[in-house]
Amino acid sequence: MAQKTLIILQNPDTKETYYTRRNKKGDKADQKIEVKKYSAKLRKHVIFKEVKKLSKKKPNKSKGAETSKKKDKK
């Protein structure tokens, strides 16, 4: 499946995740999804809710590089 079309369903208790696609048509297309799925950790069916996609963090610039630039300008 293409990564752009996937949504993440996560159980708030166990943090287990499922990946699925969203139906773009219909009355409930703009609502968050809640699906009852099997949890292997709890060994029973529980509700999985849609969560935000986790974005990859960009590396921060080191503080040492910034201070050396300021010193050069003086």
Side-chain angles (χ1 to χ4, degrees):
M1 289 191 246
Q3 291 293 326
K4 292 180 181 178
T5 60
L6 291 180
I7 59 168
I8 301 171
L9 301 174
Q10 190 174 51
N11 182 338
D13 299 331
T14 62
K15 305 299 182 200
E16 288 180 282
T17 57
Y18 276 100
Y19 295 90
T20 189
R21 292 184 184 172
R22 172 186 287 283
N23 186 2
K24 298 289 183 183
K25 297 179 182 178
D27 297 334
K28 298 181 180 181
D30 59 340
Q31 295 178 352
K32 292 208 173 207
I33 296 176
E34 292 185 3
V35 180
K36 203 167 193 181
K37 298 287 243 175
Y38 182 76
S39 170
K41 289 183 181 178
L42 300 176
R43 293 175 32 184
K44 63 181 181 179
H45 283 84
V46 293
I47 294 177
F48 283 76
K49 297 181 180 182
E50 181 180 345
V51 295
K52 281 187 173 181
K53 288 190 177 185
L54 304 175
S55 61
K56 294 182 181 178
K57 294 183 180 179
K58 295 180 182 177
N60 293 335
K61 294 181 181 179
S62 64
K63 292 182 181 180
E66 292 174 7
T67 56
S68 63
K69 289 180 183 178
K70 289 179 183 178
K71 288 179 184 177
D72 293 336
K73 291 181 181 179
K74 289 183 179 180

